[in-house]
Amino acid sequence: MIRNFLDLSSDEQSNALGDIKEIFYLASSRQSFASAEDKDLFWQRWTGYYLQNCPGNLWVDFEDYTLAGYLMGCEQSNPALSFFADHIHSYKLFRDLFDQFPAHLHINLHPKFRNLGLGQKLVEAFLQQLSSTGKIG
């Protein structure tokens, strides 16, 4: 079941964040960290902007009461440029496309829920949200 993060109760949000973090690390190509602080900084680099500035664009998919995956979206990439340019250097390579394609997303699925079409459902939920607010992708 696809749900918007803000529609979850505070307890559900707290539990979902733990599951999102687990899925994030399972999906990451980086698996080792020098310290717990280094690991947390990596998490913040890739998810911090979305969680702080776009929580209404966070979609989660529950399959049999298990968090299968998530999508963190951003309706306007230009305002995010200062954050991501400092944290993810390749982000600024796309800035010339932000006027034409202002939205972007970060998506991950738990390995056991991949290749089932769930990622497509998460993307469709975000696209529907963009469409309903008159935004373009």
Side-chain angles (χ1 to χ4, degrees), residues 26-43:
L26 285 170
S28 175
S29 61
R30 184 171 176 191
Q31 294 295 308
S32 62
F33 300 89
S35 66
E37 180 182 4
D38 187 39
K39 186 175 183 178
D40 189 57
L41 287 172
F42 185 73
W43 159 258

Side-chain angles (χ1 to χ4, degrees), residues 15-95:
N15 291 334
L17 278 175
D19 293 340
I20 288 168
K21 204 172 213 181
E22 177 186 354
I23 292 168
F24 170 81
Y25 287 116
L26 285 170
S28 175
S29 61
R30 184 171 176 191
Q31 294 295 308
S32 62
F33 300 89
S35 66
E37 180 182 4
D38 187 39
K39 186 175 183 178
D40 189 57
L41 287 172
F42 185 73
W43 159 258
Q44 291 300 322
R45 177 182 305 129
W46 289 98
T47 65
Y49 185 86
Y50 304 102
L51 294 171
Q52 293 171 14
N53 299 287
C54 314
N57 299 136
L58 173 51
W59 292 90
V60 291
D61 181 22
F62 291 95
E63 298 294 323
D64 296 323
Y65 304 101
T66 300
L67 190 84
Y70 67 89
L71 179 150
M72 296 181 180
C74 179
E75 294 179 3
Q76 296 294 325
S77 296
N78 271 323
L81 184 60
S82 61
F83 176 88
F84 284 114
D86 290 341
H87 295 86
I88 303 168
H89 301 292
S90 61
Y91 186 84
K92 58 188 165 194
L93 296 174
F94 300 98
R95 76 174 128 208

